[in-house]
Amino acid sequence: MNAALVAVLLSLVSACAYAAAAVAQERLASRASDAGPLRLLASGAWWWAVALNASAALLHVVALKYGPLTVVQPLGALTLVAAVPLGARLAGRRVSAIEWRGTGLTLLGLGALLLTASGPAPDDVLSVPEALTVSGATAALIGVLSWPGARPGLRHATASGVASGVASALTQTVTVAVTDRSGPLLSVQVIGVAVLVAAFATGGLLLSQTAYRGGLGAPLAVVTLANPVAAAVIGLSLLGERLRGGAGGALLALTGAVLAAWGVVQLSRAAPAPVRHEPAAPVLADPEPDSEPEASPPAGLVPRQPGPGHLTPL
């Protein structure tokens, strides 16, 4: 089987697993919005989401062995495509027209990207200085995005996407270095980069959990867009990956990226149908008095008004 096809199939399954994990994280965050990291460790739902993320990550690692970052990472947008109907199903509602439109645009854009990004299996890796430089710049960016301020959900989602994208790029370095048999299995490069992968993957998971406190749609959309952008920058600038088709291929890739981004934006704007409440009983206006109002009783004879929740003693 063609290596690129294997990478695409593995990425599809990985995206579905990531989608299930995202829905589980969002439901957990909505139930315990003020729970800290230590509280999450005692939650079975949290560990279920961690297991789903770990399974998806494993499939993603294998996909990176067969396909370049510019192919595997854009397919991560299918996470949002799968998460929207899954979340709607668990919420007991139908998928809206805007959600279907966003899904179609995202799939069309991804198709255009795959036509230009498909290439041979990756064979280049990041050197230790390159890995350290990328990690340092990423850590600084995550620190800035995590600083307290406005829109914490979207900023944490951006930080999560960047962390996950960099973790994928570093993972490809580890995977290629281990399987090409050109050096020792546990070299300094492999061990050091593997530690960085674990750090960024864990950070991305915790940041996404924080971002989902404000809902699933917009934060997951931001994660979905930031992830492939970060990975593509590394792949095109440091790993020698290229787009096929020259200027025409670059234009097609740009068009596909715009379509996919617009589809993701449409999905992020889709809101669940509002909950219908029974109308309150109408309040009748006081009837017009037919006669002169009665004289007020003397102040000493006015009964005391009961306070909230209390009865006036006789």
Side-chain angles (χ1 to χ4, degrees), residues 161-254:
V162 171
S164 300
V166 171
S168 295
L170 297 174
T171 297
Q172 180 168 294
T173 291
V174 174
T175 304
V176 174
V178 168
T179 57
D180 66 357
R181 304 179 186 277
S182 60
L185 182 62
L186 297 179
S187 63
V188 175
Q189 179 190 30
V190 171
I191 296 175
V193 175
V195 171
L196 294 174
V197 169
F200 283 117
T202 303
L205 179 63
L206 295 177
L207 287 166
S208 65
Q209 180 67 59
T210 304
Y212 293 149
R213 291 178 180 177
L216 180 64
L220 182 56
V222 173
V223 171
T224 303
L225 288 176
N227 187 322
V229 168
V233 168
I234 296 174
L236 294 174
S237 61
L238 297 177
L239 295 177
E241 298 182 4
R242 296 289 182 267
L243 298 176
R244 298 192 307 173
L251 181 60
L252 180 60
L254 179 61

Side-chain angles (χ1 to χ4, degrees), residues 92-120:
R93 63 177 181 87
R94 293 183 177 181
V95 180
S96 64
I98 189 174
E99 289 173 326
W100 285 124
R101 184 164 61 251
T103 300
L105 288 171
T106 303
L107 292 176
L108 185 62
L110 287 176
L113 283 173
L114 289 178
L115 288 176
T116 59
S118 299

Side-chain angles (χ1 to χ4, degrees), residues 15-44:
C16 292
Y18 273 127
V23 172
Q25 284 183 267
E26 187 273 335
R27 292 172 67 85
L28 177 61
S30 64
R31 292 197 303 265
S33 59
D34 58 345
L38 295 180
R39 292 277 301 275
L40 292 175
L41 296 178
S43 172

